[in-house]
Amino acid sequence: MFSSALKSFTSNISSNYSISPNPSSFSGPWKIFDGKKKSTGKAVSVFVFDKKSLEPQGGGLGPRSSASSLKRVHEEVIERLKREASNLARLRHPSILELAEPVEETRNGLMFATEQVTASLAGLLLEKDEQEKAGGRGGRSSRYVVEEGDGKGRRRRELEIDELEIQKGLLQVGKGLEFLHESAGLVHGNLTPEAIFINAKSDWKISGLGFSGPGENSNKPTSLPAISLSEVLNHDPRLPRSVQLDLDYTSPDFAMDSNVSSAADMFSLGLLIIALYNSPHKSPIETNNSLSSFKRVFSSSAAVPSQTNNFLSSAPVPKDLVSGVLPRMITRRPAQRLTAREFQEAQYFDNILVSTIRFLDSLPAKTPNEKQQFMRGLPRILNQFPKSVLEKKVLPALIEEMKDRELLALILQNVFKIIGMLPSGKRSFTDRVIPRLRDVFLNAPASKAAVQDRDSAKEAGLMVLLENMNTVAENSSGKEFKDDILPIIIIGLESPTHSLVDASLRTLSAILSILDFSTVKNELFPVIASVFAKTSSLGIKTRGLEALQILCGGTTDSEEVSSDGLDGMMPTKPKGPSTSILDKYTIQEKVVPLLKAIKTKEPAVMMAALSVFREVGKIADSDFLAMEVLPIMWSFSLGPLLNLQQFQAFMALIKSLSSRIEQEQTRKLQEMGSSTASAATNSNNFNSFGATANGNSSPAGVEGDFESLVLGKKSPPPGSADMMDDWGSTSVARPSVHRAQSQTSNAPAFAWSTPSSTPASRQPNLAPPMSTARTITPDHSLSTFASLQPSSSSANVAQSNYSQPLQLSRPGTGAGLGMGMSMGTMSPPPLPSTNNILTPSPNPAIDWSSASKAQANPWHTSTTTSSMSSSMARPQQQQQSSFALPPPTASPYSSFGIAPPPQKPGGGGGMGMGMANGASIQGQQGAQGGNQKQGMDKYESLI
């Protein structure tokens, strides 16, 4: 393998360049490797000659050959090859192969580096022959491959040769010959397809200057020796044909006249042109490198290429070449031949495409006005160019000219049009355009003038870039876009020029698909939010709202119309993002505050904000919509500048969001209510004395068992009537469910207590059991309800707590007293409560002495008693109900003078239930019969 032999070529080139292990192409005795300079990364081609290739290949030596003569011949070949590389260093021209590293001689051969080349013209023609034999271009794989830049593999080189490529290449060769003949005073001497290389830009470059020398009539000073025709014309069988003069492309001036002139190169160029169109692609003269065969061919006119025999080409030759160019090049007399300058002016090159290429080649020498006119007219003919010419010739020339700021905008317009036309546009854009854009917009040093005044030319170029962001996104990878393109967009967003900011915001729908969520949220969105918050332009404000709408998952495509499918047209797919780009937290905490901070009431801004609210409503939580979004929308909808249609648009969205909130809240409450599936079906359970917290009756013994468990006491047997301690004890009355269920009589029972013999801190709590269920408010419009005055000095009751009526009373009858008399019991005064539900008041609002004036209750029936008992339970079910009642008189019993009966075991059930359900308060309520009207007036004045 030659790759192993390459390692033995130790030189400065092999140390400073990374060289591919396999050759990419061949040209004569040279093997060409792709290389890259380690310090700069510049791509080059490394030409390597192996001395072992000069060794005879089996029987090449004659019997009289000696080792010394063979060595001398080899040395002459090596000197000629070294002179070939040295001439490249001496001759500098766009059509001459550019030398990157001078030739170095190693122990095993020679090595030098040039600009990167794709192949030689001979290799390209051989490729075409093999493709034609295999049945077309796609019949076989190309043997010309290139290593990928990232080292991940190899790809086929795109090698094409069409009419325009040939025209362009021949024109460049003509320019190179003109330089050699007129400026350098040299004759090439061996102009063959092996001596012409095609570089990465698809330019044809002249090389193979090993046989070059001054012409006979040249007066140009040169250090090169004259061509020794006697040595170069005689073929040496001991040497490979690749290191000897190729007689198939040699002029008869050399072989028959021994005349060295520039006209000889023009004859060779004519044979080369025929080879380009011939099939197979070779010279029409075949001599087998024999001088005698060459002379025999030119002794017969039929064997010499001419217009009569179609120049011995098996394929058609273009008419312009047949009629005006080849007859004046392939002619026996040198004086009748075209010069290199005349060759470039031939009718064959007179077309718009070739003229465009010629203008591109001379573009640096044109005036600014000519450059601008050329760039404006170039887009009209770009579609006429072959794709290979666009990629390898036109695009590189335009990118190179981007250093001219005045032409930046015009050049970028052509660049983006070319990228859109190329099938391999992504590779070209990544390899060539992006690095140049980075240099122009990101890495360019800021001049003092640019700091003081805005660079209008650069801004114009930036505007073109932003307008073509769809093309940029389609031809960029995510990492390249984030690293190189996104910073340019941010420059546009932060620009003081409103048109640039507007164009940058309009690119959002194109770039979101290529950026990841973290980049959008942390790098792009903060810039957009800052621009939106700080701008004073109405247009930027509206455009910013459109950007926020897209970030929330919306689209601004006006052509996106929902279709029901009845019109026979396919529904249009949305072009924008279909899902939210930002997360819900960012939308609620960042986007909505931006909308809330809008000060202007312009209809355009309001309607753009409405579109954002519409997207927010699809994502945000219902409670956030209710508390944050709807108030803002109501404020915007009432703007003084909105017309009827705009207001109705706001109302439609408000109603839609409100309906969503209502549905979600209803569903939430239904799900919460489903956990209480054992709810009572009887609505009267809300008024039962044994109701649980949610209004349902507890099973017998559950509540008592729980209290006994947590208090560490034994639960009473099921047959016990009460759970209270003895009279005057410190225990609190706890109504049990079995007592509430045993209440079958219509007359309520009362529990007695002695306030004078029990300390305030140990008095039983007469408050009703706390309930978490809904409560109902008594109907205060009835005239039969008594009213209580608010406590004026209670320290534990808030000022806003008012006394509430406790039970129904009839005017003038003393209902409370009559009820107590009819049931055979009297209600004792209320005791101080430890939970501030009943608080002693120093200013009694009830005349306790009037309670002794008992009257007969004319309505004392079982029905009335039952209804009154039900009404007494209503105010006790209210949570935190506070009543301020004055303490009783100093009597140890009550103002009625009746002593409480002794407590009997198991017999205080009715009395205990009355105590637990506020029967004592009922007696106090009845004592106010005489002050009914006055109390109602005071209550109404308070409420």
Side-chain angles (χ1 to χ4, degrees):
M1 292 295 293
F2 188 78
S3 59
S4 61
L6 182 62
K7 299 179 181 179
S8 63
F9 285 78
T10 303
S11 65
N12 183 47
I13 297 176
S14 60
S15 301
N16 297 331
Y17 290 81
S18 58
I19 304 174
S20 61
N22 300 309
S24 61
S25 61
F26 301 85
S27 178
W30 300 100
K31 294 180 175 66
I32 306 173
F33 295 81
D34 291 331
K36 185 177 294 185
K37 193 169 185 178
K38 296 179 181 179
S39 59
T40 61
K42 181 181 179 181
V44 298
S45 290
V46 179
F47 287 68
V48 177
F49 168 73
D50 190 2
K51 292 180 180 180
K52 294 181 180 180
S53 63
L54 296 177
E55 296 178 358
Q57 304 297 326
L61 291 175
R64 298 181 180 179
S65 300
S66 62
S68 59
S69 63
L70 182 61
K71 182 179 180 181
R72 185 175 63 254
V73 171
H74 287 180
E75 290 176 352
E76 291 177 357
V77 171
I78 292 175
E79 287 298 322
R80 188 183 305 121
L81 295 177
K82 290 171 65 176
R83 184 166 63 247
E84 177 180 343
S86 299
N87 289 338
L88 293 178
R90 186 180 295 110
L91 302 173
R92 296 287 184 177
H93 188 267
S95 295
I96 304 296
L97 187 63
E98 180 182 352
L99 188 70
E101 293 289 342
V103 63
E104 298 181 15
E105 185 174 4
T106 65
R107 181 169 56 88
N108 296 322
L110 302 176
M111 178 184 294
F112 67 94
T114 67
E115 61 177 306
Q116 187 181 26
V117 298
T118 301
S120 66
L121 182 59
L124 183 59
L125 294 179
L126 181 61
E127 174 84 2
K128 296 289 292 183
D129 289 338
E130 293 177 350
Q131 288 178 354
E132 291 173 0
K133 290 180 181 179
R137 176 174 173 79
R140 61 177 299 277
S141 299
S142 174
R143 59 192 177 91
Y144 295 107
V145 294
V146 61
E147 299 289 339
E148 292 287 358
D150 53 6
K152 295 182 179 179
R154 310 172 74 196
R155 61 175 174 84
R156 175 180 172 177
R157 288 184 186 271
E158 296 294 336
L159 296 178
E160 295 183 6
I161 180 169
D162 51 21
E163 184 64 26
L164 183 60
E165 286 277 5
I166 293 175
Q167 289 179 334
K168 176 183 68 65
L170 291 177
L171 188 61
Q172 291 171 334
V173 172
K175 290 181 179 180
L177 291 177
E178 179 186 359
F179 168 74
L180 286 176
H181 298 163
E182 299 183 6
S183 299
L186 298 176
V187 177
H188 190 282
N190 192 29
L191 188 64
T192 66
E194 298 282 358
I196 296 177
F197 290 89
I198 302 174
N199 69 359
K201 297 181 179 179
S202 192
D203 294 330
W204 291 18
K205 300 294 186 78
I206 297 177
S207 183
L209 298 171
F211 296 93
S212 63
E216 292 180 353
N217 300 326
S218 175
N219 54 5
K220 301 291 181 181
T222 179
S223 59
L224 295 179
I227 301 174
S228 177
L229 295 179
S230 60
E231 296 180 0
V232 301
L233 290 176
N234 293 318
H235 180 72
D236 192 342
R238 297 172 299 178
L239 297 176
R241 292 185 58 178
S242 60
V243 297
Q244 301 186 64
L245 187 70
D246 191 351
L247 292 179
D248 291 349
Y249 290 91
T250 301
S251 167
D253 307 349
F254 279 9
M256 302 174 65
D257 301 338
S258 298
N259 183 15
V260 178
S261 65
S262 59
D265 288 340
M266 301 307 297
F267 188 93
S268 300
L269 179 60
L271 295 176
L272 187 148
I273 292 174
I274 297 175
L276 291 173
Y277 292 97
N278 197 6
S279 180
H281 299 281
K282 61 182 182 179
S283 172
I285 300 176
E286 295 184 16
T287 63
N288 197 24
N289 269 5
S290 171
L291 187 58
S292 60
S293 299
F294 182 88
K295 292 179 180 181
R296 186 169 53 251
V297 168
F298 278 91
S299 64
S300 172
S301 60
V304 178
S306 65
Q307 190 173 0
T308 58
N309 57 18
N310 194 32
F311 295 96
L312 299 178
S313 174
S314 59
V317 181
K319 181 179 179 180
D320 291 337
L321 288 174
V322 172
S323 61
V325 177
L326 291 179
R328 296 190 59 187
M329 298 182 72
I330 303 177
T331 179
R332 181 67 180 82
R333 297 182 180 183
Q336 296 178 352
R337 297 172 191 160
L338 293 172
T339 64
R341 184 185 296 272
E342 292 172 344
F343 172 74
Q344 299 174 55
E345 297 173 355
Q347 185 69 25
Y348 174 66
F349 301 109
D350 188 13
N351 62 75
I352 186 65
L353 300 183
V354 176
S355 299
T356 301
I357 298 297
R358 299 175 69 174
F359 195 96
L360 273 176
D361 292 337
S362 60
L363 191 61
K366 302 297 181 179
T367 64
N369 187 29
E370 291 175 337
K371 292 180 180 180
Q372 292 181 3
Q373 292 180 2
F374 173 77
M375 293 299 174
R376 290 191 180 97
L378 183 60
R380 295 197 298 267
I381 63 170
L382 284 178
N383 56 355
Q384 302 180 28
F385 281 97
K387 302 298 186 295
S388 59
V389 177
L390 288 177
E391 180 180 5
K392 298 177 181 179
K393 180 62 182 177
V394 180
L395 182 61
L398 293 177
I399 293 175
E400 183 66 24
E401 200 64 26
M402 284 175 62
K403 58 188 177 183
D404 189 348
R405 292 292 184 87
E406 299 299 327
L407 297 176
L408 184 59
L410 296 174
I411 291 175
L412 285 177
Q413 290 177 356
N414 291 281
V415 166
F416 285 117
K417 185 170 183 178
I418 292 174
I419 294 298
M421 296 169 58
L422 295 179
S424 59
K426 185 172 184 178
R427 185 177 70 238
S428 299
F429 186 80
T430 301
D431 297 341
R432 298 178 178 179
V433 180
I434 287 183
R436 194 60 180 170
L437 292 176
R438 183 172 58 245
D439 294 338
V440 171
F441 293 105
L442 298 180
N443 300 336
S447 60
K448 294 182 179 179
V451 174
Q452 296 175 359
D453 300 328
R454 292 183 303 182
D455 191 345
S456 58
K458 184 176 179 180
E459 289 183 349
L462 180 57
M463 178 64 73
V464 175
L465 174 61
L466 295 173
E467 290 174 349
N468 290 272
M469 195 53 61
N470 283 325
T471 303
V472 175
E474 292 172 358
N475 294 279
S476 303
S477 64
K479 184 178 185 303
E480 293 165 345
F481 193 92
K482 177 182 177 181
D483 296 341
D484 300 326
I485 304 301
L486 182 59
I488 300 178
I489 297 177
I490 293 178
I491 290 177
L493 287 172
E494 296 175 346
S495 172
T497 305
H498 288 169
S499 59
L500 283 179
V501 180
D502 181 76
S504 301
L505 291 173
R506 282 189 279 112
T507 64
L508 196 59
S509 58
I511 68 178
L512 287 179
S513 60
I514 198 172
L515 294 176
D516 58 279
F517 167 75
S518 177
T519 302
V520 174
K521 179 179 178 180
N522 300 324
E523 298 182 25
L524 183 60
F525 171 70
V527 180
I528 294 177
S530 176
V531 170
F532 175 78
K534 296 179 181 179
T535 184
S536 58
S537 170
L538 178 62
I540 301 301
K541 203 75 170 180
T542 306
R543 190 71 68 184
L545 288 169
E546 293 179 359
L548 293 178
Q549 177 187 357
I550 295 175
L551 288 173
C552 293
T555 176
T556 58
D557 188 6
S558 59
E559 297 181 358
E560 181 188 356
V561 180
S562 59
S563 174
D564 55 5
L566 300 178
D567 53 0
M569 302 295 293
M570 292 298 292
T572 303
K573 294 183 178 180
K575 296 181 180 180
S578 58
T579 58
S580 173
I581 302 302
L582 297 176
D583 59 302
K584 181 168 66 174
Y585 172 81
T586 305
I587 292 176
Q588 294 185 171
E589 301 299 328
K590 304 295 183 180
V591 176
V592 173
L594 286 175
L595 303 178
K596 185 177 182 181
I598 296 177
K599 302 300 181 183
T600 179
K601 298 300 181 183
E602 289 290 336
V605 176
M606 294 293 98
M607 299 311 295
L610 178 63
S611 300
V612 182
F613 281 127
R614 185 174 291 108
E615 301 303 325
V616 172
K618 301 175 183 177
I619 302 167
D621 297 328
S622 58
D623 54 347
F624 181 84
L625 294 175
M627 293 183 290
E628 299 293 339
V629 175
L630 287 182
I632 305 175
M633 293 185 61
W634 273 109
S635 175
F636 286 4
S637 66
L638 300 179
L641 303 179
L642 297 183
N643 57 28
L644 177 60
Q645 292 77 11
Q646 293 167 343
F647 172 74
Q648 289 176 344
F650 266 97
M651 292 307 303
L653 182 57
I654 290 174
K655 293 177 181 178
S656 175
L657 295 181
S658 300
S659 176
R660 173 195 163 187
I661 295 170
E662 180 183 358
Q663 293 175 1
E664 292 190 8
Q665 185 68 12
T666 302
R667 178 181 53 80
K668 185 187 302 183
L669 294 177
Q670 288 175 347
E671 292 175 354
M672 294 175 60
S674 63
S675 62
T676 58
S678 60
T681 58
N682 188 359
S683 61
N684 292 331
N685 288 338
F686 285 105
N687 299 326
S688 62
F689 292 101
T692 59
N694 58 2
N696 301 327
S697 297
S698 301
V702 174
E703 184 178 355
D705 293 344
F706 175 78
E707 293 181 357
S708 300
L709 177 64
V710 299
L711 292 176
K713 298 179 181 182
K714 297 182 179 179
S715 59
S720 61
D722 200 356
M723 295 174 61
M724 292 182 59
D725 294 338
D726 292 338
W727 176 262
S729 67
T730 59
S731 63
V732 180
R734 302 181 182 91
S736 60
V737 177
H738 70 274
R739 293 201 308 270
Q741 292 176 344
S742 64
Q743 233 178 6
T744 57
S745 64
N746 294 330
F750 297 92
W752 294 84
S753 62
T754 308
S756 59
S757 61
T758 305
S761 61
R762 301 182 62 184
Q763 289 177 352
N765 184 4
L766 300 183
M770 300 299 293
S771 173
T772 59
R774 295 179 300 163
T775 59
I776 59 174
T777 305
D779 188 357
H780 301 297
S781 63
L782 295 178
S783 60
T784 57
F785 281 94
S787 62
L788 300 180
Q789 301 298 325
S791 177
S792 60
S793 60
S794 176
N796 297 325
V797 181
Q799 269 186 329
S800 60
N801 294 332
Y802 299 101
S803 301
Q804 301 293 330
L806 297 181
Q807 105 177 38
L808 290 171
S809 62
R810 300 297 181 183
T813 60
L817 180 59
M819 187 175 294
M821 295 288 290
S822 63
M823 289 184 292
T825 58
M826 299 300 294
S827 176
L831 300 179
S833 174
T834 58
N835 59 359
N836 295 331
I837 294 180
L838 297 178
T839 306
S841 175
N843 299 323
I846 301 176
D847 188 4
W848 293 94
S849 61
S850 61
S852 59
K853 302 177 181 180
Q855 299 179 3
N857 189 355
W859 299 316
H860 181 244
T861 61
S862 60
T863 304
T864 305
T865 306
S866 177
S867 63
M868 299 300 289
S869 176
S870 298
S871 65
M872 287 188 296
R874 295 181 181 175
Q876 296 181 17
Q877 294 187 16
Q878 298 179 4
Q879 298 183 13
Q880 304 296 333
S881 299
S882 301
F883 301 95
L885 299 180
T889 58
S891 173
Y893 300 109
S894 67
S895 59
F896 298 100
I898 303 176
Q903 182 74 17
K904 294 182 180 180
M911 298 170 64
M913 177 61 69
M915 185 63 124
N917 292 293
S920 60
I921 302 176
Q922 179 184 7
Q924 300 169 18
Q925 179 81 14
Q928 289 184 317
N931 299 326
Q932 176 70 30
K933 188 176 186 306
Q934 181 181 1
M936 181 60 71
D937 294 339
K938 293 183 178 181
Y939 174 77
E940 293 177 353
S941 64
L942 288 175
I943 63 174

